[in-house]
Amino acid sequence: MIQTKLESFISDYLKSNNFELSNWNVAINTREGFGDYSSNVALILSKKIGKNPMEIAEAIVGYQNKEEELFSVSATKPGFVNFNISINYYLDIMNSILEEGANFGKPGKHEKSANVEFVSSNPTGPLTAGHGRNTILGDMVSSILSWHGYNVTREYYYNNAGKQMRMLGESSYAKYAKKIGKDVTPPENGYVGEYLDDIADEIITKFGKDLDSNSEHFRAFTEEKIFDSIKNTLKSLRIEFDLFSQEQKFYDNGGIDNVLKKLDELSLTYKKDGATWFKTSGLGKEEDKVLVKSTGEPTYRLPDIAYHIDKVDRGFDLIVDIFGADHIETYPDVLLGLKALGKRTDHIKVIVHQFVTLKKDNQVVKMSTRKANFITLDDLIDQLGVDVVRYFFIMRGANSHLDFDFDLAKDESEKNPVYYLQYAHARISNLITRYDSDINQKTGLDLSLLIEKDEILLIKKLSAFPTKMGEIHESLEPSKLATYLQEVAASYHKFYGNHKVIDHNNIPLSYARKNLCNATQIILKTGLSILGITAPEKM
């Protein structure tokens, strides 16, 4: 990879001058006149040795072997070291794209395994638009890891043992009682959605009208039906889970009691005001945290520690947790608990995403599952389609607040970023069909004929795909792939608009441009596939 070669060049220069330096980088450059890549090494080094950064940059330029054909080096103020890469390097990569197709840039298969836990919504109601970001983000992170050779387990963990589930059972009974003519007051702050009316009808049909409030059917049957609905929604979004884990398991197998026992043996728990506290202050935190409330109900921390012990013990090389911002205070305590109990944590990556605001007609749509005031993911899929829903939930980095613009999402023009990408792919399909129909004359492929600025810029953009995927592997940010694909599509549309592809008067150039279109289509289709979005042949 060219970036590695450039970094080696800088490292050799530093070693030859006995300079020990870190925190410098070589990065793809987007500014015109500064080369294909730039390094800040001279700026960093100048602070250490007290020398003018331009003087250092010029010295690095002079260090280059004049016989080097892969790249040339230049310096620009205030001290950037710039690299211009030989066009032949990019043309070789383009040949690789055409030869390798969907496997271009893909790392070889390895034996590493990964567990990605996401969604993990309690079965108290249908998946809403509020769950969409976690759902889509987790699936795309899984796909990114799979593309990089991991054997990925998609896991859904949910709480079926706490207060919310008891409340769900009571709410279900209240709906049932009303339908059979009983005067029952619904539980305070209970669930009131119409989905419970439908389930109450099913309970009457299956179990009759003689059930009392203690019947397990109101909790178990309602949970089962809601979870069936959740699974159907996930399937509609092209998401299949490998494993569903339940919190109740860790009560039944003694996992939760075992965590409490071991933390107590380590003098990391104590009683106060009727609650059991986790002495996180003894582990470097400022405040201790409650593990078990005075009511006897555990906080999220306790079962989550037991659950993560189970995940760590299953031997994954990488564990990824996708959490909403409401978990930002709890997950560090879970990791502290694991460390205290002697469990490995350096292979656990936690992705915390910010919340989503759904906007329609420039107004914020407020949602509450408990009050049944929400838009479901099924509603979004029905109105917008799966491709749009998947894309719009990852348009921004996980750590940024996301405004889901319903009106833009519904727009079927090129203003909609999903259609913009898909239109580029479909346009290429149409062009290749026309080329194959219009031009019968055979010619050899000579990519060196691609000398126009728009052609070179597009080739360079396509060549960056492996580097981009490497960055995305490190960050696990699908938004970066979406942004890159938008840049590819923009470069292609510009090239297509300025240059004639099908030219009967210049068959060799026409054939070279057709292959540039082919290479672009390969990159677009591969990227869209990783995002779980279709690449249509026609639009």
Side-chain angles (χ1 to χ4, degrees):
M1 194 167 66
I2 188 65
Q3 192 162 345
T4 302
K5 291 182 180 294
L6 302 180
E7 289 168 352
S8 295
F9 169 76
I10 295 291
S11 295
D12 288 345
Y13 168 80
L14 294 173
K15 287 178 183 177
S16 69
N17 288 276
N18 296 317
F19 294 136
E20 291 186 7
L21 191 68
S22 60
N23 299 325
W24 58 272
N25 64 46
V26 174
I28 293 175
N29 196 9
T30 57
R31 293 179 299 171
E32 201 166 334
F34 282 77
D36 299 308
Y37 290 80
S38 286
S39 175
N40 62 351
V41 61
L43 298 168
I44 303 296
L45 185 57
S46 70
K47 296 176 183 177
K48 183 170 184 176
I49 64 175
K51 205 170 183 179
N52 185 288
M54 272 303 291
E55 191 176 336
I56 297 171
E58 293 290 357
I60 295 174
V61 172
Y63 180 74
Q64 184 186 15
N65 181 348
K66 299 304 180 184
E67 296 180 1
E68 174 65 68
E69 296 180 356
L70 188 61
F71 61 86
S72 61
V73 191
S74 62
T76 51
K77 293 180 180 180
F80 287 107
V81 177
N82 307 310
F83 299 91
N84 286 284
I85 312 303
S86 165
I87 186 59
N88 290 329
Y89 167 81
Y90 291 111
L91 295 182
D92 286 344
I93 291 182
M94 187 172 152
N95 265 318
S96 297
I97 297 173
L98 295 169
E99 290 171 5
E100 298 173 27
N103 290 320
F104 171 69
K106 195 171 186 177
K109 189 72 177 176
H110 53 66
E111 299 301 319
K112 290 185 178 181
S113 61
N115 176 286
V116 183
E117 183 221 329
F118 60 108
V119 186
S120 297
S121 173
N122 295 337
T124 55
L127 292 179
T128 71
H131 298 115
R133 192 172 201 184
N134 188 301
T135 301
I136 304 303
L137 180 60
D139 187 56
M140 290 186 183
V141 164
S142 301
S143 294
I144 289 166
L145 291 172
S146 293
W147 194 84
H148 280 91
Y150 284 84
N151 179 16
V152 178
T153 297
R154 288 169 165 83
E155 185 160 347
Y156 189 128
Y157 169 75
Y158 65 98
N159 171 5
N160 64 336
K163 180 179 178 182
Q164 290 185 37
M165 299 309 296
R166 291 196 300 274
M167 184 70 74
L168 178 68
E170 293 172 9
S171 300
S172 179
Y173 173 70
K175 292 282 192 179
Y176 169 87
K178 183 177 181 181
K179 285 182 177 287
I180 62 174
K182 287 187 177 180
D183 185 15
V184 173
T185 302
E188 187 178 355
N189 293 321
Y191 298 93
V192 298
E194 289 184 6
Y195 60 94
L196 289 180
D197 289 289
D198 297 335
I199 293 173
D201 287 333
E202 291 189 60
I203 292 174
I204 292 170
T205 300
K206 187 168 184 176
F207 303 107
K209 299 182 178 182
D210 300 322
L211 299 178
D212 61 35
S213 61
N214 294 320
S215 173
E216 180 60 22
H217 294 311
F218 295 112
R219 175 171 167 170
F221 185 80
T222 302
E223 176 186 332
E224 177 187 346
K225 286 297 176 182
I226 291 175
F227 216 85
D228 285 344
S229 171
I230 288 174
K231 288 179 179 178
N232 287 333
T233 300
L234 294 171
K235 191 172 182 179
S236 297
L237 286 166
R238 306 174 188 140
I239 299 173
E240 295 280 350
F241 276 89
D242 301 295
L243 183 63
F244 292 89
S245 296
Q246 301 176 1
E247 182 181 321
Q248 186 63 49
K249 166 186 173 181
F250 302 104
Y251 288 91
D252 296 341
N253 68 11
I256 288 174
D257 289 339
N258 196 40
V259 169
L260 280 173
K261 179 183 175 184
K262 288 185 175 180
L263 289 176
D264 185 56
E265 290 172 353
L266 294 168
S267 300
L268 290 173
T269 62
Y270 62 90
K271 299 283 188 180
K272 178 183 175 183
D273 300 328
T276 300
W277 290 72
F278 183 16
K279 194 176 179 181
T280 49
S281 58
L283 299 171
K285 295 288 286 285
E286 290 186 6
E287 297 180 353
D288 297 336
K289 301 296 173 64
V290 174
L291 284 177
V292 183
K293 300 174 185 177
S294 59
T295 60
E297 182 183 2
T299 63
Y300 284 119
R301 295 171 178 85
L302 180 55
D304 275 11
I305 292 172
Y307 168 53
H308 277 78
I309 288 173
D310 178 76
K311 283 204 286 192
V312 171
D313 287 348
R314 279 186 261 156
F316 296 104
D317 295 292
L318 174 66
I319 294 173
V320 181
D321 292 332
I322 313 290
F323 292 144
D326 53 337
H327 282 74
I328 201 164
E329 294 292 330
T330 58
Y331 85 80
D333 299 329
V334 173
L335 296 179
L336 276 179
L338 291 174
K339 287 181 182 178
L341 297 173
K343 296 298 178 180
R344 179 186 172 195
T345 61
D346 63 325
H347 64 322
I348 299 176
K349 182 175 178 65
V350 178
I351 299 174
V352 176
H353 63 83
Q354 297 301 314
F355 293 118
V356 176
T357 299
L358 183 63
K359 289 188 174 180
K360 194 172 184 180
D361 300 325
N362 291 320
Q363 299 294 318
V364 174
V365 179
K366 295 184 178 180
M367 293 180 286
S368 166
T369 304
R370 197 178 295 275
K371 294 179 180 178
N373 175 27
F374 52 74
I375 294 176
T376 67
L377 276 177
D378 286 333
D379 292 334
L380 288 181
I381 294 168
D382 289 343
Q383 295 183 60
L384 304 174
V386 179
D387 289 335
V388 172
V389 171
R390 287 184 67 92
Y391 187 93
F392 267 66
F393 274 116
I394 56 90
M395 284 174 63
R396 301 286 179 270
N399 203 36
S400 300
H401 182 85
L402 176 65
D403 286 336
F404 191 113
D405 188 336
F406 186 88
D407 300 312
L408 177 60
K410 204 164 186 178
D411 190 330
E412 295 186 6
S413 74
E414 288 186 45
K415 293 179 182 178
N416 185 322
V418 183
Y419 289 108
Y420 186 73
L421 288 179
Q422 292 179 320
Y423 179 63
H425 185 274
R427 169 181 265 181
I428 295 171
S429 294
N430 178 59
L431 184 145
I432 291 172
T433 299
R434 288 191 292 112
Y435 182 97
D436 293 340
S437 174
D438 292 357
I439 296 183
N440 298 316
Q441 184 178 342
K442 300 295 183 181
T443 184
L445 177 59
D446 184 359
L447 295 177
S448 67
L449 296 174
L450 302 173
I451 60 174
E452 298 292 341
K453 181 179 178 181
D454 294 332
E455 294 168 338
I456 300 302
L457 288 175
L458 177 55
I459 291 170
K460 289 181 177 181
K461 186 62 68 176
L462 300 178
S463 300
F465 180 68
T467 301
K468 286 293 181 183
M469 287 306 298
E471 294 172 0
I472 292 162
H473 179 211
E474 291 297 317
S475 65
L476 296 182
E477 277 282 12
S479 63
K480 292 185 177 181
L481 177 54
T483 299
Y484 168 72
L485 293 178
Q486 290 289 333
E487 293 170 355
V488 169
S491 293
Y492 178 75
H493 287 309
K494 186 176 181 181
F495 152 74
Y496 182 86
N498 291 337
H499 303 284
K500 190 175 183 179
V501 175
I502 301 177
D503 185 355
H504 292 274
N505 297 319
N506 193 341
I507 300 299
L509 177 59
S510 189
Y511 188 56
R513 285 176 173 172
K514 182 238 186 185
N515 277 273
L516 177 54
C517 295
N518 275 333
T520 304
Q521 186 178 48
I522 288 167
I523 296 300
L524 286 173
K525 189 170 185 177
T526 301
L528 288 170
S529 175
I530 294 168
L531 297 178
I533 295 171
T534 60
E537 302 290 322
K538 295 180 180 180
M539 288 187 72

